[in-house]
Amino acid sequence: QSVLTQPPSVSGAPGQRVTISCTGSSSNIGAGYDVQWYQQLPGTAPKLLIHGDSNRPSGVPDRFSGSRSGTSASLAITGLQAEDEADYYCQSYDSSPNWVFGGGTKLTVL
Amino acid sequence: QVPLVQSGAEVKKPGASVKVSCKASGYTFTGYYMHWVRQAPGQGLEWMGRMNPNSGGTNYAQKFQGRVTMTGDTSIGTAYMELSRLRSDDTAVYYCARAAGFSPNYYFDYWGRGTLVTVSS
């Protein structure tokens, strides 16, 4: 069981908007720690998509955006493209010290 | 250009140890913590621990305490992760990842390509 909870899968048609949720608790997201998002294409290493809740590294299209509220965070993808089909992971900090990931969400572009 | 180059795949027997290397280039090795993350087949990402290349200090996830050792060689800019007493459920791809940002709000901006470790008798 992951400390951060994500839906196992989401899907959308090309051009549509999808969101992926990441639910934590008072010891991680709810404590104010930053949330990051990573994209993992099949057979490749994860790639940083969003850091500090809503900041995009250079080269990441503005179709990707992040937000947070309370003990949860969300990744939104607008103008869905076939190349967006991948696994997406959220990540934050918990106590001990301990960096934690969500269980991952598989995005299918219909 | 990916600045983290990992060692090749390994096959180990249960009970053995494995040591994975991660060579950094293009940045100051001692300026960034190095974290290790693993991914079992078909599963999600699991944080294992981190190493401060400047001081050698480490923090390990509780699950791996006593079995994992993370070290670094600043003379060649290389980080190492050694996992002992291997079990079949340690079969996974092991990634090194550079941590950017400010503690504890690190984010992993560069990742190695991963090293597949297979544990099988």
Side-chain angles (χ1 to χ4, degrees):
Chain A
Q1 291 287 56
S2 301
V3 173
L4 305 178
T5 301
Q6 298 179 232
S9 63
V10 297
S11 62
Q16 284 190 332
R17 177 181 187 270
V18 297
T19 61
I20 299 173
S21 61
C22 174
T23 303
S25 67
S26 59
S27 64
N28 40 70
I29 299 176
Y33 296 117
D34 286 356
V35 177
Q36 279 67 239
W37 291 91
Y38 302 87
Q39 177 193 59
Q40 187 176 34
L41 298 171
T44 69
K47 169 192 169 185
L48 179 66
L49 211 56
I50 298 286
H51 67 89
D53 301 335
S54 59
N55 300 295
R56 282 186 310 275
S58 61
V60 174
D62 59 6
R63 301 186 296 104
F64 296 90
S65 63
S67 63
R68 64 179 293 150
S69 178
T71 58
S72 296
S74 291
L75 172 71
I77 309 172
T78 59
L80 206 56
Q81 299 179 6
E83 66 203 50
D84 298 332
E85 190 159 289
D87 294 326
Y88 292 84
Y89 294 90
C90 60
Q91 173 255 313
S92 187
Y93 175 82
D94 203 300
S95 53
S96 39
N98 203 14
W99 282 264
V100 292
F101 290 92
T105 298
K106 181 176 181 60
L107 169 63
T108 300
V109 180
L110 301 171
Chain B
Q1 182 182 355
V2 178
L4 301 176
V5 178
Q6 297 188 223
S7 49
E10 303 260 14
V11 179
K12 296 291 183 181
K13 294 192 181 304
S17 297
V18 68
K19 191 171 186 177
V20 179
S21 68
C22 172
K23 182 170 176 56
S25 63
Y27 73 93
T28 302
F29 178 65
T30 53
Y32 298 80
Y33 276 82
M34 191 70 78
H35 291 234
W36 291 86
V37 176
R38 79 176 186 179
Q39 185 171 37
Q43 302 300 308
L45 303 171
E46 181 176 32
W47 182 78
M48 298 181 68
R50 68 166 180 172
M51 190 271 297
N52 181 342
N54 196 41
S55 67
T58 55
N59 298 101
Y60 303 135
Q62 187 172 9
K63 175 178 180 176
F64 301 101
Q65 291 272 4
R67 281 211 303 144
V68 71
T69 305
M70 296 177 186
T71 57
D73 185 337
T74 57
S75 68
I76 57 173
T78 300
Y80 302 92
M81 186 284 300
E82 183 171 21
L83 190 61
S84 63
R85 302 193 301 278
L86 290 169
R87 307 184 294 255
S88 57
D89 61 359
D90 290 319
T91 294
V93 175
Y94 290 76
Y95 294 102
C96 57
R98 189 182 84 163
F102 299 97
S103 182
N105 291 312
Y106 289 127
Y107 54 92
F108 306 125
D109 62 346
Y110 286 105
W111 296 65
R113 294 189 191 276
T115 297
L116 174 61
V117 175
T118 302
V119 182
S120 174
S121 55

